[in-house]
Amino acid sequence: MTIALLISTYNWPEALQRVLESVLLQIRKPDEILIADDGSGDSTKQVIDAFRLKTNIPIKHAWQEDNGFQKTKILNKALALCKSEYIIQIDGDIIMSPQFIADHIKISKPHHVITGSRASLTKEFTIDFLKSKRPIDYNLLRKNSPYKMNAARIPFLTPIFAPRYKTKGKHRFYSKGCNMAFWMSSLIKVNGFNEDMYEWGHEDSELVVRLLKIGEKKLFMKFSGVTYHLWHKVSSMERKSINQTILENTVASEDFRIKNGLDKYLNK
């Protein structure tokens, strides 16, 4: 199957450069890269243009004007450019382990959505890491993450945990957009991300709810698909409660297809 790596970013070119470096270290590289840019300045474009010279992977840069946190909108715009069958999504502050894409492919199944976790890095290490020109050292990343279990890669355990870990009860809709995968055909069926949700919070879980409504099942990628999350200040959560209400309404509704989504960008 063909794989698209979807990366969301906003005005942090130093982080995006390191994320793209980790793309080149993948043992299985994506067939295309979709960059969902929520209004970054020219320095982000310069990082992307410089990266184009280092790889023959097609790179599609979707950009929109900076009008506040509109991640769902720019994700849909980037996905409208997708030519691949399967989407692996990360954020522009996520350093992928070399096996990340290969691990995702190994666990992928028809009619399944995948979510994983991340190993957050300390503030001090993140600052030094972004200033440094040294190649990515994964031993140092593991050493400087307090979340050792999230940094552990024990792939023979993944199939055991995948259908059981955070897939039932109060965690059944749990997902992390910084480490997530889904089929493009399924995404089209539910009309992509819900653009009624803006600012930070719950857009990934709301998508999972609708995918489950069409018969998808969720798997959690535990002990593989390792990622490292660069430290940053916490985003504004002023609309978190509103987005929570939208999520709850989606759970209660019989509908799986939202009105304000992907379809308006397709075939343009």
Side-chain angles (χ1 to χ4, degrees):
M1 60 186 176
T2 49
I3 306 295
L5 179 67
L6 174 63
I7 307 172
S8 59
T9 190
Y10 172 70
N11 268 340
W12 202 6
E14 299 86 358
L16 181 61
Q17 181 170 330
R18 286 301 210 170
V19 173
L20 293 174
E21 286 175 22
S22 73
V23 173
L24 295 180
L25 298 175
Q26 295 299 298
I27 62 173
R28 201 296 195 182
K29 295 177 177 57
D31 298 291
E32 61 179 330
I33 298 171
L34 311 173
I35 298 181
D37 185 349
D38 191 16
S40 301
D42 190 59
S43 55
T44 292
K45 183 179 182 300
Q46 291 174 10
V47 167
I48 296 168
D49 288 344
F51 183 71
R52 292 183 196 275
L53 303 177
K54 299 178 182 179
T55 181
N56 59 1
I57 304 170
I59 301 169
K60 300 169 184 177
H61 181 194
W63 180 90
Q64 64 188 10
E65 291 186 5
D66 186 356
N67 191 23
F69 192 113
Q70 298 187 90
K71 183 178 181 182
T72 53
K73 185 175 182 178
I74 195 59
L75 286 172
N76 282 337
K77 288 181 176 180
L79 286 163
L81 304 176
C82 181
K83 300 299 182 185
S84 299
E85 300 165 277
Y86 197 66
I87 316 295
I88 299 173
Q89 179 184 339
I90 62 171
D91 288 337
D93 54 13
I94 292 293
I95 310 300
M96 299 172 286
S97 61
Q99 306 88 357
F100 176 75
I101 291 177
D103 284 345
H104 260 285
I105 293 171
K106 188 173 182 179
I107 196 177
S108 65
K109 293 182 178 181
H111 312 300
H112 283 71
V113 57
I114 311 297
T115 192
S117 56
R118 62 191 184 183
S120 294
L121 298 166
T122 65
K123 177 180 179 180
E124 295 75 17
F125 177 78
T126 296
I127 292 171
D128 178 69
F129 178 70
L130 294 180
K131 287 181 179 179
S132 169
K133 300 298 181 182
R134 298 189 301 270
I136 296 173
D137 183 332
Y138 289 98
N139 288 326
L140 275 179
L141 294 180
R142 282 190 291 272
K143 182 179 178 181
N144 286 279
S145 173
Y147 300 89
K148 304 301 183 187
M149 287 296 289
N150 286 351
R153 183 174 183 271
I154 316 171
F156 76 88
L157 291 178
T158 302
I160 300 172
F161 280 85
R164 298 174 176 86
Y165 187 76
K166 293 188 176 180
T167 59
K168 297 178 177 63
K170 66 178 182 178
H171 295 298
R172 66 192 184 281
F173 306 130
Y174 174 92
S175 61
K176 287 285 188 184
C178 63
N179 188 348
M180 188 173 173
F182 39 80
W183 296 92
M184 187 65 186
S185 57
S186 300
L187 194 75
I188 291 172
K189 188 176 293 186
V190 300
N191 204 19
F193 285 91
N194 190 344
E195 293 184 22
D196 290 341
M197 305 179 80
Y198 55 92
E199 297 297 341
W200 183 90
H202 302 307
E203 75 284 343
D204 37 22
S205 295
E206 198 271 348
L207 174 62
V208 167
V209 171
R210 289 183 284 115
L211 289 172
L212 295 181
K213 285 178 183 289
I214 64 170
E216 302 267 300
K217 294 182 179 180
K218 192 184 87 171
L219 297 175
F220 196 101
M221 194 156 64
K222 190 69 176 173
F223 297 122
S224 62
V226 174
T227 65
Y228 297 91
H229 180 225
L230 299 170
W231 177 91
H232 57 79
K233 293 181 180 178
V234 177
S235 301
S236 169
M237 296 187 182
E238 62 183 41
R239 271 188 59 92
K240 182 180 179 181
S241 61
I242 297 173
N243 287 350
Q244 176 69 34
T245 299
I246 294 173
L247 171 63
E248 291 170 358
N249 289 340
T250 300
V251 172
S253 171
E254 294 182 0
D255 295 333
F256 59 80
R257 183 177 175 85
I258 43 99
K259 295 179 180 179
N260 189 13
L262 174 64
D263 58 356
K264 59 179 169 288
Y265 309 112
L266 295 173
N267 303 318
K268 284 190 174 183

